[in-house]
Amino acid sequence: MPVTSVEKDLDQLTITIVADFTAPLRRLWDAYTDPRQIERFWGPPTYPAKFFRHDAHAGGRSVYSMTGPEGDVHYGCWDWTAADAPHSFAVIDQFADEAGVPNTDLPATRMDFAFEETSGGSRLTTTSYFDSVEQMQQLLEMGMLEGTREAMAQIDQVLAELAAFATRRAAQAEILTDTQVRVARVIRGSVDQVWRAHNDADLMKRWLLGPDGWSMPICEIATTVGDTYRYEWQRDGGDERFGFTGELLESDAPYRAVTTEAMIGMDFPATLNEMTLTEVEGGTLLSLVITYANAEQRDAVLATGMTDGMETSYQRLEGLLQPARA
């Protein structure tokens, strides 16, 4: 059991939990900032979590759910107020609805996470701050402390697998809901480099090509929220051509961009694409959450081999970034 101490301070209205791990500091930090990892332990075993958004930087947001044994689903959100990788971050943790809108009828908790290296590995100190004794008691009665203990007991296994997990660099698609898919890939390059690779037309034309034998003659990038973009590809030596267009809805350089995406000349509903870039050991974690109109559209797109095509492009991107890092 990693939890080594729990201290309730009624005068300061805090609960402080200390947990020790044999894993290196960076591995522990990455487990909390990678949505694929934190969702394996944020909820207790009987209430597993799923993260739909996870912006591990000051000003970012996280939205997650926890599903109970009876199929009951409970949503929460974090507003990130500070982040100093790999040493600390702070969030406001609130109950929410499925869209991530906070439920102001239930208490919000400020949580500080402090990571430090130890002689045996790493230590995490989590301090929760409450507005009143009544608020603290309400959350304790809801099982906050027991749930936290059970959740943190799962971290050791996640940390043991994380090193091997990170080496499997191929793009992986995971179904989150009936309409959402998350594609994730660690790219060997800095966050700034990967962001630029998605916002420099000349660079994009060199890597965003999918299988060999295609070129990208049109690459019009949306640089300001409200702008539209247009990407078109053409098979070498032939007339076969396809493309996508959409609007830039959000931009928080170099961490997050949200766009719509519709296939040119087709009647398929547009998707919502949310790209998040996070610094992790070995490079940048690119997480792309795609929201489809329905499960049928989701499955039809996945069946096209979309993930394989993305992996080919990401391999090409790494080849372009490696000389810059040398």
Side-chain angles (χ1 to χ4, degrees):
M1 189 68 131
V3 175
T4 55
S5 70
V6 177
E7 180 182 346
K8 288 182 281 187
D9 189 328
L10 296 180
D11 293 328
Q12 298 298 319
L13 297 177
T14 61
I15 295 178
T16 301
I17 300 174
V18 178
D20 286 293
F21 305 91
T22 58
L25 173 63
R26 184 74 213 203
R27 192 173 302 168
L28 178 61
W29 172 270
D30 285 352
Y32 271 85
T33 56
D34 182 340
R36 301 168 300 172
Q37 299 305 304
I38 190 172
E39 65 187 15
R40 295 175 58 192
F41 62 80
W42 182 246
T46 53
Y47 279 83
K50 187 68 68 178
F51 275 72
F52 308 101
R53 176 176 176 178
H54 197 46
D55 307 340
H57 63 90
R61 294 202 82 224
S62 299
V63 178
Y64 64 90
S65 69
M66 291 191 289
T67 303
E70 304 301 322
D72 48 310
V73 183
H74 309 269
Y75 293 90
C77 65
W78 288 356
D79 287 314
W80 289 66
T81 59
D84 178 19
H87 305 293
S88 64
F89 68 85
V91 301
I92 305 297
D93 186 21
Q94 297 177 269
F95 295 89
D97 63 16
E98 62 181 313
V101 178
N103 182 345
T104 56
D105 293 331
L106 292 170
T109 306
R110 180 164 70 87
M111 302 180 69
D112 290 352
F113 296 77
F115 301 77
E116 60 182 304
E117 189 175 359
T118 65
S119 59
S122 54
R123 173 174 295 160
L124 170 62
T125 301
T126 305
T127 305
S128 300
Y129 297 83
F130 305 91
D131 293 333
S132 65
V133 173
E134 292 74 22
Q135 183 196 74
M136 180 189 292
Q137 188 61 35
Q138 180 182 5
L139 288 171
L140 289 173
E141 290 175 355
M142 294 173 68
M144 168 190 169
L145 205 52
E146 293 79 6
T148 300
R149 284 181 179 273
E150 292 178 4
M152 296 187 78
Q154 304 169 103
I155 299 179
D156 276 333
Q157 183 63 37
V158 174
L159 294 175
E161 298 174 359
L162 185 55
F165 178 89
T167 62
R168 297 195 295 270
R169 291 187 174 275
Q172 295 176 318
E174 178 184 4
I175 293 175
L176 298 179
T177 69
D178 286 345
T179 59
Q180 288 184 309
V181 169
R182 180 176 61 218
V183 180
R185 173 57 148 85
V186 174
I187 297 173
R188 285 173 289 185
S190 70
V191 169
D192 286 335
Q193 286 178 321
V194 177
W195 177 267
R196 177 174 171 267
H198 285 80
N199 290 276
D200 182 316
D202 291 336
L203 189 54
M204 286 184 70
K205 288 181 178 182
R206 297 171 62 192
W207 72 268
L208 191 59
L209 301 174
D212 291 337
W214 289 82
S215 62
M216 191 180 188
I218 295 179
C219 182
E220 300 171 356
I221 294 175
T223 58
T224 303
V225 170
D227 287 351
T228 58
Y229 67 89
R230 186 181 183 93
Y231 306 147
E232 292 189 30
W233 293 266
Q234 182 169 332
R235 185 181 292 279
D236 297 344
D239 296 328
E240 189 176 353
R241 193 166 180 147
F242 72 96
F244 294 96
T245 187
E247 180 183 351
L248 179 63
L249 302 180
E250 296 180 35
S251 180
D252 184 11
Y255 304 109
R256 176 175 167 84
V258 180
T259 61
T260 60
E261 181 180 272
M263 195 166 188
I264 296 171
M266 304 294 287
D267 293 330
F268 298 134
T271 63
L272 181 71
N273 296 358
E274 301 174 73
M275 182 185 75
T276 302
L277 304 181
T278 305
E279 178 191 354
V280 296
E281 185 175 16
T284 296
L285 170 64
L286 185 152
S287 177
L288 180 65
V289 176
I290 307 170
T291 302
Y292 298 93
N294 48 54
E296 290 74 24
Q297 184 190 17
R298 177 202 69 189
D299 292 343
V301 173
L302 287 176
T304 64
M306 172 193 76
T307 310
D308 292 339
M310 294 173 72
E311 171 58 21
T312 300
S313 290
Y314 291 145
Q315 288 179 14
R316 193 178 289 114
L317 172 58
E318 284 191 326
L320 295 175
L321 296 183
Q322 290 312 296
R325 300 185 73 199

